[in-house]
């Protein structure tokens, strides 16, 4: 699933290409694509796109009256659509803009297409009033942004929530923008077990984790900004995620995995757990 670095860089690319374009239509291709009924998408018709912003893992297409909040989920993408075919493969929704004349005199009729591969069809669009958009569902329950969270903010959250740190990092109500890949990388960079308890890490542990969050996010964003499109998971920089069996780049120990039904926790025993191996099943606890 795209995380903060991928979403932020993609928002910047879309703003560069589409800002100022006037919206003329919005077409959902199935009943699950549009998640809200009020305000209607038509309230934005005739308005120019101000920018494509971001909150957490959501893209925000901001028009003066209405903001379209887009979540890509696991297999979604919001991509320029020049063909505008009647039945696009994997198409969930399409934003159509008025034709625009380019500097060379040609006419640009490129639309924006929300696609989703796979069978789940969980990607979608919410329409919210631009005034107060960040206080409207689904954005109203998000925690502080991963890129800017302070040591003190994270320390307060650790003290108030007794959780495994890996699960805490992935919980968007705690911190917005981190997913499975970044959680693996952050825990490794902070030299903490993915199963370490947030409350027990305390103020000092929170400061170390906060620094690792900022470092990993900055590294990922720098890489994404070198690209012309959104990366796939295997291309993103990292030492742990998806590298089960590979040597840890810091100590040479084999990267280990704890497999869950929907995701994998990767870690280095030498760097993170004092050489101890975490049992590879969903019910086991951290081996002491």
């Amino acid at each position: 699933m795209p995380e903060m670095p991928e979403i932020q860089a993609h928002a910047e690319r879309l703003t560069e290409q589409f800002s100022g374009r006037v919206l003329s239509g919005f077409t959902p291709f199935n009943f699950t694509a549009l998640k809200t009924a009020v305000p209607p998408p038509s309230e934005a018709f005739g308005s120019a796109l101000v920018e494509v912003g971001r909150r957490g893992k959501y893209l925000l297409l901001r028009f003066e009256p209405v903001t379209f909040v887009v979540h890509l989920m696991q297999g979604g993408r919001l991509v320029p659509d020049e063909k505008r075919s009647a039945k696009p493969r994997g198409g969930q929704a399409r934003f159509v803009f008025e034709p625009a004349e380019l500097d060379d005199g040609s006419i640009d009729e490129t639309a924006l297409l929300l696609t989703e591969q796979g069978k789940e069809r969980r990607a979608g669009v919410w329409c919210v009033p631009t005034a107060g958009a960040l206080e409207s569902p689904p954005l109203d329950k998000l925690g502080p942004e991963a890129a800017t969270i302070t040591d003190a903010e994270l320390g307060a959250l650790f003290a108030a929530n007794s959780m495994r740190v890996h699960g805490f990092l992935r919980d968007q109500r705690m911190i917005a923008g981190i997913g499975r890949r970044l959680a693996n990388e952050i825990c490794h960079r902070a030299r903490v077990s993915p199963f370490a308890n947030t409350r027990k890490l305390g103020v000092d542990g929170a400061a170390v984790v906060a620094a690792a969050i900022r470092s990993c996010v900055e590294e990922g964003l720098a890489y994404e900004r070198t690209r012309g499109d959104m990366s796939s998971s295997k291309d993103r920089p990292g030492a742990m995620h998806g590298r089960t069996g590979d040597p840890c780049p810091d100590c040479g120990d084999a990267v280990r995995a704890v497999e869950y039904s929907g995701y994998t926790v990767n870690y280095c025993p030498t760097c993170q757990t004092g050489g101890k191996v975490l049992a590879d099943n969903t019910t086991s606890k951290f081996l002491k």
Side-chain angles (χ1 to χ4, degrees):
M1 179 183 293
E3 299 171 74
M4 178 272 167
E6 295 81 53
I7 298 295
Q8 177 62 38
H10 195 51
E12 293 169 3
R13 288 189 292 265
L14 292 177
T15 294
E16 183 176 357
Q17 183 172 356
F18 287 93
S19 63
R21 296 285 301 277
V22 176
L23 190 70
S24 60
F26 172 80
T27 303
F29 291 106
N30 61 69
F31 71 92
T32 65
L34 183 60
K35 309 294 186 181
T36 54
V38 178
S42 58
E43 284 197 10
F45 296 176
S47 298
L49 178 65
V50 177
E51 66 170 355
V52 180
R54 180 197 58 80
R55 176 73 170 101
K57 299 180 186 179
Y58 294 88
L59 289 164
L60 310 179
L61 279 70
R62 294 191 177 108
F63 298 84
E64 186 175 340
V66 171
T67 291
F68 293 86
V69 180
V70 181
H71 200 301
L72 303 178
M73 298 305 293
Q74 184 70 32
R77 292 292 185 270
L78 186 64
V79 295
D81 178 21
E82 297 178 353
K83 296 182 179 179
R84 294 172 57 175
S85 61
K87 295 182 178 180
R89 183 173 179 272
Q92 300 302 297
R94 177 183 283 138
F95 298 86
V96 179
F97 300 92
E98 293 180 3
E101 184 174 355
L102 301 178
D103 293 340
D104 61 4
S106 62
I107 301 300
D108 185 2
E109 295 183 300
T110 306
L112 267 174
L113 179 66
L114 175 63
T115 68
E116 185 177 16
Q117 304 309 313
K119 299 179 180 179
E120 289 189 331
R121 297 294 182 264
R122 297 172 61 197
V125 180
W126 290 255
C127 290
V128 300
T130 294
L134 298 182
E135 288 74 46
S136 301
L139 306 177
D140 58 332
K141 302 299 184 183
L142 296 178
E145 284 288 331
T148 56
I149 192 166
T150 66
D151 297 358
E153 285 176 319
L154 191 61
L157 287 168
F158 274 12
N161 299 276
S162 180
M163 302 169 59
R164 287 178 172 178
V165 66
H166 197 278
F168 175 96
L169 292 169
R170 300 188 339 266
D171 189 333
Q172 300 306 294
R173 298 166 299 178
M174 300 293 123
I175 305 177
I178 296 173
R180 301 163 189 170
R181 184 190 72 84
L182 277 176
N184 286 330
E185 300 302 331
I186 290 164
C187 288
H188 177 254
R189 190 157 299 183
R191 298 297 189 263
V192 299
S193 165
F195 290 174
N197 181 272
T198 51
R199 191 169 291 168
K200 291 181 179 179
L201 284 171
V203 174
D204 291 341
V208 173
V209 173
I213 291 171
R214 294 188 294 266
S215 175
C216 289
V217 166
E218 289 170 4
E219 180 182 272
L221 184 55
Y223 169 72
E224 287 297 318
R225 283 173 171 161
T226 68
R227 298 180 58 95
D229 60 353
M230 188 181 293
S231 67
S232 60
S233 181
K234 63 181 177 60
D235 296 325
R236 295 165 194 162
M240 290 291 111
H241 186 71
R243 302 186 186 277
T244 305
D246 290 353
C248 169
D250 292 346
C251 72
D253 196 359
V255 174
R256 306 299 181 101
V258 179
E259 301 284 352
Y260 291 89
S261 58
Y263 65 99
T264 300
V265 174
N266 285 118
Y267 68 99
C268 170
T270 296
C271 292
Q272 296 173 253
T273 63
K276 302 295 184 181
V277 176
L278 307 180
D280 187 13
N281 65 68
T282 59
T283 58
S284 292
K285 295 181 180 180
F286 178 37
L287 297 179
K288 296 182 179 179

